Amino acid sequence: MLNVASAVEPSAPTIWETALAQFDSAADRLKLDDNLRAMLRAPKRELIVNFPVKMDNGKVRVFTGYRVQHSIARGPAKGGIRYAPDVDLNEVRALAMWMTWKTALIGLPYGGAKGGVVCDPKALSPAELERLTRRYATEISIIIGPDKDIPAPDMGTGPREMGWIMDTISQHTGYAVPAVVTGKPLAIGGSEGRVEATARGVVVIAAAAARRRNLDLRGATVAIQGFGNVGGGAAKLMSHFGAKVVAVSDVNGGAYDPAGLDYDRLRRYHQVTGTVAGFAERITNAELLELPVDILVPAATQHQITADNAPRVQAKLIVEGANGPVTPEADAILDAKGVLVVPDILANAGGVTVSYFEWVQDLQGYFWDEAEVNSRLERLMTRAFDATVALANRERVNLRLAAYMLAVSRVAETVAARGLYP
Ligand code: NAD
């Protein structure tokens, strides 16, 4: 049957198109050489794997997984693994490209990668998830390794999955290989501070950006979309630093109290019910994004703020905890409204920064305490924020374009210096 609506309306951009559009804006502004532009646009390697997993009922199900290495010019590829029912190659491509810019912006000696498995982790038992993770790790083992490509957690995965990957690769090798993956449990070479690192980075950057808006994070009102590793951690640390978190949400909906939400009670409610929805006045995710708050932290998933709802966003400052939550069209609208948007490749880079520290500690076999990890994290993130703001002021561009210009020019410089093989 002909779908009339889709025949006349332009379809929404995919996040790969968003990633390319963001790269092209920076490349245009930098007047990047055409050859370099073509090289940086194309992902270096894309691996698609279809693999069987025995389910608890004895049947075999074939799953599809991806690992995309966008760039390995500056060092080993680095990026998380996403378990989601709708993940596809274009999404993984976009996320891999963003990792290349993120690592370059922070100044880490890495390229960018991402992985994904098409599955609903909530619908699988722990035993099924373990078999799926070990088989996926085996399938992508031909391209990952401490010197080649180092996975980490993303949506739907966490320390438990990273532990299974570390063990699988170590079983293949015959000895412990902790540096093959980051975001591991502490007992097998994880780093202090890694679990909260992305959220800590979000809060460090939010505080720095708030100062530019003459806002004090202490007492500022905050709405956070997503209550997973990034959103839940941001709610905790924002509350800890004295901000007033008035709204949170997850995939089931949100909770809003203009007087502020008590984090400890919220966490207990979430532990018992598995959701934040209903903890206070029930709101939808769409409503959360339009609340009258000082700071909005989209920390769930991509393309949440679009040309449709951007005109109604009331926040003064948006700090992108998620990857790609704001579309390029929405960016232009927010810019015109004077909303300061701190881009994902800067705001959520705390996770990959502490992943880098974890890898360094694993390779050295020498581990740091949490205070050292946190202070190094703050130093690298603040350095990147200051450099981004300085370039934005000099070039009269927004923070996203400035961050991209810094990152793209660093990767382009490396690629140019290495020359073209053969
Ligand atoms: P997570 O799986 O721990 O949590 C995701 C949260 O978002 C959950 O609360 C879930 O209910 C909610 N959610 C999912 N889909 C939603 C939807 N359509 N609407 C509303 N809520 C929804 O994932 P995470 O690790 O916190 O990742 C969140 C985002 O942050 C992703 O974009 C991810 O790529 C990005 N990110 C994560 C890290 C990290 O270290 N974990 C680092 C950088 C960026």
Side-chain angles (χ1 to χ4, degrees):
M1 197 177 79
L2 179 70
N3 182 335
V4 178
S6 65
V8 292
E9 284 172 17
S11 57
T14 65
I15 67 164
W16 174 232
E17 286 164 343
T18 295
L20 287 175
Q22 291 166 338
F23 166 73
D24 285 338
S25 309
D28 289 346
R29 184 82 188 198
L30 289 166
K31 299 191 171 46
L32 196 67
D33 167 79
D34 279 349
N35 295 329
L36 276 173
R37 185 191 287 247
M39 288 164 75
L40 295 184
R41 260 180 145 251
K44 163 91 181 161
R45 279 191 195 115
E46 303 183 335
L47 178 62
I48 304 177
V49 292
N50 298 304
F51 56 97
V53 176
K54 186 171 268 175
M55 308 307 282
D56 291 345
N57 65 8
K59 291 211 169 115
V60 168
R61 229 177 101 186
V62 176
F63 289 86
T64 299
Y66 308 97
R67 185 72 186 170
V68 173
Q69 297 172 347
H70 170 260
S71 172
I72 52 171
R74 289 169 40 89
K78 187 87 190 83
I81 294 171
R82 176 171 287 193
Y83 286 178
D86 53 358
V87 66
D88 62 18
L89 184 57
N90 265 340
E91 181 171 325
V92 179
R93 269 187 188 134
L95 292 160
M97 182 189 248
W98 284 331
M99 288 306 298
T100 302
W101 312 138
K102 206 178 288 187
T103 56
L105 180 63
I106 304 296
L108 309 178
Y110 283 144
K114 209 79 178 190
V117 177
V118 186
C119 67
D120 178 0
K122 288 214 172 88
L124 298 174
S125 72
E128 289 169 338
L129 272 174
E130 178 168 0
R131 290 194 290 274
L132 177 147
T133 302
R134 287 184 181 276
R135 181 63 188 247
Y136 169 69
T138 300
E139 297 288 341
I140 64 167
S141 65
I142 52 177
I143 60 167
I144 66 169
D147 300 321
K148 300 197 282 187
D149 179 355
I150 307 127
D154 190 70
M155 274 170 77
T157 63
R160 182 183 62 171
E161 286 74 18
M162 299 308 114
W164 291 331
I165 295 175
M166 179 273 186
D167 184 65
T168 301
I169 302 302
S170 299
Q171 297 295 346
H172 293 179
T173 318
Y175 49 86
V177 189
V180 68
V181 73
T182 59
K184 302 177 292 293
L186 278 178
I188 54 171
S191 176
E192 295 286 355
R194 174 61 184 90
V195 172
E196 283 183 356
T198 308
R200 186 170 292 277
V202 164
V203 176
V204 165
I205 293 294
R211 283 193 290 275
R212 290 186 52 76
R213 273 279 177 272
N214 293 324
L215 262 172
D216 189 349
L217 191 62
R218 292 179 67 85
T221 53
V222 184
I224 303 172
Q225 185 193 31
F227 201 74
N229 177 273
V230 184
K236 175 181 170 186
L237 294 174
M238 285 282 187
S239 305
H240 181 79
F241 285 105
K244 196 204 275 186
V245 178
V246 296
V248 291
S249 70
D250 59 32
V251 73
N252 302 306
Y256 176 47
D257 185 346
L261 303 167
D262 180 273
Y263 174 75
D264 290 326
R265 281 187 45 234
L266 173 63
R267 186 175 53 88
R268 280 197 295 275
Y269 179 90
H270 181 256
Q271 266 168 357
V272 174
T273 64
T275 179
V276 295
F279 173 71
E281 182 192 333
R282 234 171 235 281
I283 53 167
T284 63
N285 271 282
E287 286 164 344
L288 178 138
L289 299 172
E290 299 172 16
L291 287 175
V293 289
D294 296 318
I295 305 173
L296 175 62
V297 182
T301 188
Q302 58 263 12
H303 284 186
Q304 294 300 296
I305 303 173
T306 64
D308 286 340
N309 59 359
R312 295 187 300 275
V313 167
Q314 300 185 62
K316 303 183 182 82
L317 170 62
I318 296 179
V319 184
E320 293 187 333
N323 285 310
V326 176
T327 64
E329 296 75 19
D331 244 348
I333 295 167
L334 295 168
D335 241 4
K337 278 164 60 105
V339 180
L340 182 64
V341 180
V342 188
D344 44 11
I345 61 169
L346 177 56
N348 70 29
V352 71
T353 302
V354 176
S355 272
Y356 166 62
F357 297 158
E358 180 175 331
W359 178 76
V360 167
Q361 292 171 82
D362 288 338
L363 292 177
Q364 292 182 339
Y366 181 74
F367 291 85
W368 314 339
D369 62 22
E370 189 178 350
E372 177 155 13
V373 170
N374 290 348
S375 83
R376 285 177 188 262
L377 166 68
E378 191 162 340
R379 205 183 319 150
L380 291 201
M381 301 250 349
T382 307
R383 183 180 72 179
F385 181 80
D386 291 345
T388 304
V389 168
L391 187 70
N393 290 344
R394 204 162 60 237
E395 294 284 325
R396 297 182 180 284
V397 296
N398 65 24
L399 293 185
R400 189 181 316 276
L401 188 49
Y404 267 77
M405 287 168 71
L406 274 174
V408 170
S409 60
R410 283 179 190 163
V411 182
E413 191 184 345
T414 307
V415 171
R418 285 181 59 161
L420 187 57
Y421 176 89

